[in-house]
Amino acid sequence: MKINRRDFLKMGGGAGAAVALGGGFWKWSQFPVAEKPNAPGVEKWIPTICGQCMGGCGILVRVIDGWAVNIAGNPLHPVNRGTLCPKGIAGLQGLYDPDRIRTPLKRIGKRGEGQWQPISWVEALQMVTSSLKELRKNGESYQLMVLGGKYRGLMRSLWERFLEAFGSPNYIDNQFQWEGTPTEGLFLTQGIYSTPAYDLENVQYLLSFGSELLESYWSPVQVLRAYGYFRRGKPGQRGKLVQIEPRLSITGIKADEWIPIQPGAEGILALGIAHMIIKEGLYKKDFASNHTFGFEGWTDENGKEHLGFKEFILSEYEPNVVSKKTGVPVDTVIRLAREFATNQPSLAIGYRDRPFHQMAVSVLNGLTGSIDTTGGILIPRNVPYQAFPPFKKDTIAQKGLDKERIDGGKGLRRVIHQPYLFAQNVLSGRPYKPKALFLYYTNPLFSNPKPDLFSKAFAEIPFIVSFSPYMDDSTHFADLVLPDHTPLERWQDDPLFLNNGFPVLGIRQPVVEPLYQTKATGDVLLTIAKLLGGEFRTALPWNDFKEVMAYGFKGIFEAKRGDVFGLQFEEAWTRLLQRGGWWAPSYKTTEELWKLIQERGGWWDPLYDFGEWERIFQTPSKKFEFYAQGLKRLASSPLSKSNGDPSFLPHWEEPKKMSDEKLYPLHLHIFKTMAVTGSRNANQPWLSENFGPHLLERWITWVEINPHTAKELGISEGDWVWVESTFGKIQAKARLYQGAMPDVVNIPFGLGHASGGRWAKDLGANPYHLLGDDLDPLTGNPIQRSPRVKIYKA
């Protein structure tokens, strides 16, 4: 038997562990011979898409005799190329969760009591269709609303088509809007309200304003692979990362430099850096002249003169002013400006801060021309689905769609969704109260700040239906549960993009037969449409969601771009052909395309088209806007009728004082870890075991306190303490952490479910109960990093 060096070291490590445990290596390494070994089973490896987060990683599921037994990364999938994060590896725990909802449930007690009666799908669908028919009969179709969470692709189109045929404008995104990517900053500067691509692999200097890249980025494996290339993928070059945030996170630990800053002050620091770049003439003058609007003063069509960004920034955000607000030394502000402007390509990224604070970070990329360029911000193309067939709306639907949306504005595809205004308007009854609410992939009673607001709103809605496969905080208050399949049991498409802007379409397909009496929500919607009859049959003509996917995928074939997933060397060949105007895919018909997508895991287009400025800038000026003219197009914006120029320029908005600073002396900073980032995998014990790896914490909620602050408060390592704000209090374990600023305490989000499975319910605390309802006037979302708290022993 040959033993290589790696095997020898593995054996040596195992032997050392065995000796430490008191046993010999031979004894430790042997297992009893099974008396009746299992007969060899039929083995298959099935490609699909991980459903543990929004990362879109391709996986291969090992199936033996119809049972999924292992998950590995799909080496053909360009997002992860065979690698996985802890959440992906734990995916089987979602499938085999012993606390899954196994059949439709009807509430038989009071809401929140947890008393349920299992019912058949026939009875469940009859309940839903009867309620929907009653709404349309009474001319109240607009009083149906859907709260949708984190998902992508044709399911979103199907929901919108269903509401369009039904006659309701009320589809409202509730995708953790408070914690998402800084889309408002992109909208204000480029007129696009979606997530951009950051070409991280090719950046030379990365300036991160509170972006938790290496902990809770939307596509964690993709960003970790990019970080490795950013650091070591270019011989002789090593990208520099500067992390600016109130807490020393994993990203800060891995960065070249961590700059501590007062919570919520990242935006004004960005403006101070912009001040120095302009003052020293370090900005890209050709880009500013040819591709931007509002940098210099300008005159509108009525002859009115307007203040330019350059003049405004030079007068308002000098380094000494910025230093006092942020706690960052003046010389550091100046140095960051010089480094950012002179180490190209450079890129500034931020978090979901207030819109004009996001804009402040975005304009740094505008000043350095890091827009639609290698190592900059890219706008990926959409996956070219075939559009749904047209249909004629009936009178009831047309009247319902003309109604104002319950969160303000009109139309199913309104740019900004405001779930908090929905909750407030339900309570006030303005413009009306919904009579039916559908919840799909969202848990607002847990994942939204101020969850009590949503609890009160739910109490005012007569009929609530949840499609969750798991019992969660929001499903617990539903009247009817129509449990979805888990991701490993259903068909679903998953469109996304790579850091370099390439569009990618992954396919999620069943790897096992459904374990219980559950149904895919897409199939349920199509069944309801048939039961409603009339125009619904024309609007949604498919029999199941697999047919919807096959229909939509025809657009990919007709686009004549890209190819199905393949080995990495095939990427270069596909790109070379497309650049030369050739298209030579692995398929010749739509049927072959559909077959190969199932075999390999998806399709992608490995070519980014630079210089298509009409796609990159969708602002009124068709340029990068330092002056946000697009705000005047939003009738619901409180600034739409404002005449003050600073209101449309990137500026810092002083946080409102919510409480007595002497009584509540500490800032609260809430963060996420990679393992537990939301509620969809809350009942998976492998992940709770890895909740806080930097402190070796698991299964509990902790609060990170600076050691000097803890000493002043009489708090020791491991003490149980109360963290209290004016809105509520939670209990947590004190952990003394050198990476905590003296006046800032840090609490992880992820635990504290009031309902759920055995490994989720009543474990830990939810720090969102400490937050208030101070909403940003533009987005309607809670203002981050504004609350203050006090801490004392429990």
Side-chain angles (χ1 to χ4, degrees):
M1 179 175 107
K2 279 190 174 181
I3 299 178
N4 60 28
R5 181 173 179 272
R6 176 175 293 182
D7 291 335
F8 177 78
L9 291 174
K10 284 182 179 178
M11 291 170 61
V19 171
L21 292 171
F25 171 65
W26 182 257
K27 178 181 177 182
W28 168 78
S29 64
Q30 300 304 302
F31 294 91
V33 177
E35 293 182 6
K36 294 183 178 180
N38 293 329
V42 178
E43 179 187 55
K44 293 186 292 184
W45 285 90
I46 302 175
T48 186
I49 302 298
C50 178
Q52 292 282 81
C53 73
M54 292 293 286
C57 292
I59 57 175
L60 297 174
V61 182
R62 187 185 185 204
V63 179
I64 299 179
D65 289 341
W67 292 92
V69 298
N70 189 27
I71 291 177
N74 182 355
L76 299 183
H77 200 296
V79 166
N80 57 313
R81 289 293 180 190
T83 57
L84 287 176
C85 77
K87 292 193 292 290
I89 294 171
L92 289 180
Q93 293 201 327
L95 174 66
Y96 296 123
D97 185 341
D99 301 313
R100 276 182 60 182
I101 301 173
R102 306 185 179 197
T103 185
L105 298 176
K106 179 174 70 174
R107 178 176 60 82
I108 56 175
K110 294 181 179 179
R111 276 187 181 170
E113 288 184 347
Q115 297 184 41
W116 303 95
Q117 176 184 330
I119 59 174
S120 69
W121 275 100
V122 172
E123 182 181 350
L125 292 174
Q126 194 275 330
M127 287 179 63
V128 175
T129 52
S130 295
S131 175
L132 295 180
K133 286 179 178 179
E134 187 71 16
L135 287 177
R136 283 178 60 83
K137 177 183 175 181
N138 297 332
E140 300 170 335
S141 63
Y142 59 92
Q143 292 180 278
L144 166 66
M145 67 167 299
V146 175
L147 271 181
K150 283 191 170 183
Y151 67 100
R152 296 180 285 253
L154 291 170
M155 262 306 296
R156 171 64 181 266
S157 302
L158 192 68
W159 273 115
E160 290 180 345
R161 171 57 67 98
F162 182 86
L163 289 176
E164 190 176 8
F166 188 80
S168 174
N170 285 307
Y171 183 97
I172 299 177
D173 265 328
N174 188 52
Q175 302 188 34
F176 289 174
Q177 294 283 352
W178 189 68
E179 304 153 328
T181 55
T183 48
E184 285 83 16
L186 187 72
F187 173 74
L188 295 174
T189 55
Q190 294 183 233
I192 299 168
Y193 196 75
S194 62
T195 301
Y198 299 124
D199 191 10
L200 299 171
E201 289 91 334
N202 296 304
V203 174
Q204 184 60 33
Y205 190 95
L206 183 58
L207 195 56
S208 170
F209 292 86
S211 177
E212 296 176 338
L213 274 177
L214 305 184
E215 297 97 340
S216 56
Y217 192 69
W218 69 269
S219 187
V221 175
Q222 186 180 177
V223 79
L224 290 174
R225 293 180 66 236
Y227 176 79
Y229 189 87
F230 166 75
R231 287 300 208 187
R232 299 184 177 183
K234 297 168 284 187
Q237 294 184 10
R238 177 183 169 90
K240 181 174 181 178
L241 169 61
V242 178
Q243 180 73 0
I244 302 164
E245 61 181 343
R247 167 184 175 267
L248 181 60
S249 63
I250 299 296
T251 308
I253 292 170
K254 292 288 186 179
D256 296 273
E257 183 179 6
W258 170 51
I259 298 176
I261 190 171
Q262 290 296 323
E266 294 88 351
I268 191 172
L269 177 59
L271 295 173
I273 293 171
H275 173 102
M276 288 307 304
I277 291 175
I278 295 172
K279 183 177 181 179
E280 298 193 352
L282 300 175
Y283 60 94
K284 288 285 185 69
K285 297 175 180 60
D286 57 339
F287 185 86
S289 299
N290 298 323
H291 298 294
T292 72
F293 172 85
F295 182 71
E296 304 281 358
W298 55 285
T299 304
D300 64 22
E301 64 274 11
N302 297 318
K304 182 179 179 180
E305 294 184 354
H306 292 270
L307 179 66
F309 171 76
K310 177 180 176 180
E311 180 183 352
F312 175 67
I313 291 297
L314 290 177
S315 64
E316 296 293 329
Y317 295 102
E318 294 183 358
N320 60 332
V321 174
V322 170
S323 179
K324 291 178 181 177
K325 295 289 186 180
T326 62
V328 178
V330 170
D331 58 344
T332 300
V333 177
I334 297 172
R335 175 175 58 82
L336 289 176
R338 291 170 178 169
E339 289 179 355
F340 184 77
T342 57
N343 289 278
Q344 296 294 308
S346 59
L347 179 65
I349 59 177
Y351 67 97
R352 196 71 175 274
D353 201 352
R354 302 189 68 174
F356 283 101
H357 296 180
Q358 297 177 41
M359 190 182 183
V361 175
S362 295
V363 298
L364 292 178
N365 297 314
L367 289 173
T368 55
S370 299
I371 310 291
D372 199 52
T373 186
T374 300
I377 291 180
L378 307 176
I379 304 301
R381 290 181 176 275
N382 294 324
V383 171
Y385 291 113
Q386 178 175 237
F388 282 0
F391 76 101
K392 183 179 179 180
K393 292 183 278 291
D394 61 23
T395 303
I396 296 173
Q398 192 58 62
K399 287 183 178 180
L401 292 169
D402 288 339
K403 291 286 185 178
E404 180 183 358
R405 269 181 39 170
I406 198 166
D407 68 333
K410 286 190 175 184
L412 281 168
R413 296 171 182 84
R414 183 170 172 268
V415 172
I416 297 178
H417 291 248
Q418 304 182 93
Y420 286 86
L421 292 185
F422 141 71
Q424 290 181 345
N425 291 347
V426 169
L427 294 175
S428 68
R430 297 191 303 267
Y432 48 83
K433 289 191 176 186
K435 292 190 175 180
L437 170 65
F438 289 174
L439 299 171
Y440 181 69
Y441 254 81
T442 187
N443 185 11
L445 269 62
F446 173 79
S447 62
N448 289 56
K450 197 66 175 179
D452 292 344
L453 174 67
F454 287 85
S455 298
K456 294 175 182 176
F458 276 27
E460 298 293 321
I461 302 173
F463 186 50
I464 299 177
V465 180
S466 172
F467 295 86
S468 175
Y470 311 104
M471 187 59 65
D472 56 41
D473 303 65
S474 302
T475 301
H476 190 64
F477 282 86
D479 301 290
L480 182 67
V481 184
L482 305 180
D484 198 353
H485 292 329
T486 65
L488 297 180
E489 298 169 308
R490 68 171 181 256
W491 290 96
Q492 194 168 4
D493 57 309
D494 190 29
L496 70 163
F497 53 84
L498 302 185
N499 294 325
N500 52 19
F502 300 167
V504 174
L505 175 61
I507 185 171
R508 184 171 290 128
Q509 57 184 320
V511 301
V512 295
E513 292 295 320
L515 300 184
Y516 307 113
Q517 296 300 311
T518 60
K519 289 183 181 292
T521 301
D523 295 350
V524 172
L525 279 183
L526 293 170
T527 301
I528 293 172
K530 286 181 172 54
L531 294 173
L532 290 174
E535 290 299 327
F536 281 89
R537 294 178 179 269
T538 306
L540 296 104
W542 306 281
N543 292 311
D544 56 34
F545 192 72
K546 185 180 178 181
E547 285 189 11
V548 177
M549 292 171 60
Y551 178 90
F553 284 17
K554 290 179 181 178
I556 296 171
F557 181 82
E558 294 167 358
K560 299 191 184 313
R561 289 182 65 114
D563 202 351
V564 293
F565 295 163
L567 299 174
Q568 283 185 280
F569 76 85
E570 294 175 334
E571 170 188 344
W573 178 242
T574 303
R575 188 183 301 120
L576 180 65
L577 287 174
Q578 287 195 187
R579 282 177 176 166
W582 296 87
W583 181 59
S586 308
Y587 47 87
K588 295 181 180 179
T589 65
T590 53
E591 291 76 18
E592 287 184 9
L593 168 63
W594 176 245
K595 180 175 180 290
L596 285 172
I597 283 179
Q598 294 177 64
E599 291 176 356
R600 301 193 184 184
W603 167 96
W604 69 322
D605 182 1
L607 182 67
Y608 183 84
D609 298 313
F610 289 96
E612 296 182 346
W613 297 113
E614 288 189 2
R615 177 171 59 86
I616 305 305
F617 300 133
Q618 298 178 29
T619 55
S621 65
K622 303 301 180 183
K623 295 182 177 183
F624 182 93
E625 293 196 348
F626 289 100
Y627 185 102
Q629 294 185 101
L631 278 181
K632 295 184 178 180
R633 295 186 299 178
L634 295 178
S636 62
S637 168
L639 304 177
S640 59
K641 298 179 176 60
S642 173
N643 294 318
D645 285 332
S647 298
F648 298 92
L649 294 165
H651 57 274
W652 188 62
E653 296 171 303
E654 189 86 35
K656 184 169 66 175
K657 292 186 177 180
M658 300 293 293
S659 54
D660 186 348
E661 294 186 7
K662 291 183 179 179
L663 186 59
Y664 299 93
L666 301 170
H667 293 280
L668 172 64
H669 174 67
I670 298 172
F671 65 95
K672 285 187 174 184
T673 67
M674 180 176 289
V676 183
T677 56
S679 58
R680 73 172 65 181
N681 42 31
N683 201 43
Q684 297 174 15
W686 287 356
L687 299 182
S688 293
E689 277 286 325
N690 292 281
F691 188 24
H694 65 296
L695 294 176
L696 300 179
E697 283 292 358
R698 59 196 71 179
W699 295 104
I700 62 168
T701 298
W702 69 91
V703 54
E704 297 172 356
I705 313 171
N706 182 278
H708 297 291
T709 304
K711 185 177 181 180
E712 292 176 358
L713 296 173
I715 294 172
S716 302
E717 173 78 2
D719 285 348
W720 283 93
V721 298
W722 287 105
V723 183
E724 182 178 338
S725 72
T726 55
F727 305 100
K729 67 178 184 178
I730 64 170
Q731 198 173 57
K733 180 182 177 181
R735 293 302 308 267
L736 309 191
Y737 184 50
Q738 294 285 356
M741 295 178 66
D743 56 347
V744 181
V745 294
N746 310 282
I747 302 178
F749 171 78
L751 301 184
H753 292 270
S755 179
R758 67 195 70 184
W759 296 298
K761 183 179 179 182
D762 298 330
L763 290 173
N766 186 352
Y768 283 0
H769 288 281
L770 300 172
L771 304 177
D773 53 2
D774 183 22
L775 305 183
D776 182 87
L778 182 59
T779 65
N781 289 328
I783 296 173
Q784 287 204 48
R785 304 188 180 180
S786 63
R788 300 183 71 92
V789 297
K790 61 181 178 181
I791 296 184
Y792 50 93
K793 284 188 177 183

